[in-house]
Amino acid sequence: MSFFGKIFSKIFPSANAAEVQAAPTPAPAPGAPAVAAPPPSIPLGDVPAILDAMPGADGLNWRTSIVDLLKLLGLDSSLAARKELAGEILYSNGEPGSAEWNIGLHKQVMTRIAANGGTLPPELRD
């Protein structure tokens, strides 16, 4: 399972993580046969409410910190793991490990969760 798939399945255990798209599907090359678009996402639930209800959420800043989000979900939050996640979702802004990069990675993860059916307020995606 992909790293993003692990994040998604921790938030939505009943969802089929195999259908989760970590990164947008690239556009086909000119003249290439068209590929069917993925099915539209199905609303899965209010992500902040789900995460706030998890044990330990009150002691972590998961709303802005990718490290705290991964810790809350019981996943590896090391720089190597975050680099793997960034590569998977095609995120490359800033110096890996910097505050700017971590904040941007967090926003990209939240945006991908929303794109796959999670309900998030705009301030967590934008």
Side-chain angles (χ1 to χ4, degrees), residues 20-28 35-39 90 112:
V20 173
Q21 288 194 326
T25 306
V35 177
L90 306 176
R112 301 280 192 267

Side-chain angles (χ1 to χ4, degrees), residues 73-100:
L73 298 174
L75 297 171
D76 183 0
S77 62
S78 68
L79 180 57
R82 287 178 280 138
K83 284 181 178 179
E84 177 185 343
L85 174 60
E88 187 178 302
I89 65 173
L90 306 176
Y91 179 73
S92 61
N93 294 345
E95 179 66 31
S98 69
E100 173 191 16

Side-chain angles (χ1 to χ4, degrees), residues 4-66:
F4 181 76
K6 290 176 188 175
I7 291 171
F8 200 82
S9 67
K10 293 282 190 170
I11 298 170
F12 302 110
S14 62
N16 185 355
E19 295 176 5
V20 173
Q21 288 194 326
T25 306
V35 177
S41 63
I42 299 168
L44 296 169
D46 183 16
V47 175
I50 293 168
L51 294 175
D52 280 338
M54 290 183 167
D58 57 345
L60 295 170
N61 186 15
W62 67 263
R63 290 176 184 267
T64 57
S65 170
I66 188 67

Side-chain angles (χ1 to χ4, degrees), residues 92-114:
S92 61
N93 294 345
E95 179 66 31
S98 69
E100 173 191 16
W101 184 84
N102 283 320
I103 291 167
L105 179 60
H106 181 273
K107 288 190 180 284
Q108 282 298 307
V109 167
M110 291 299 179
T111 298
R112 301 280 192 267
I113 290 169

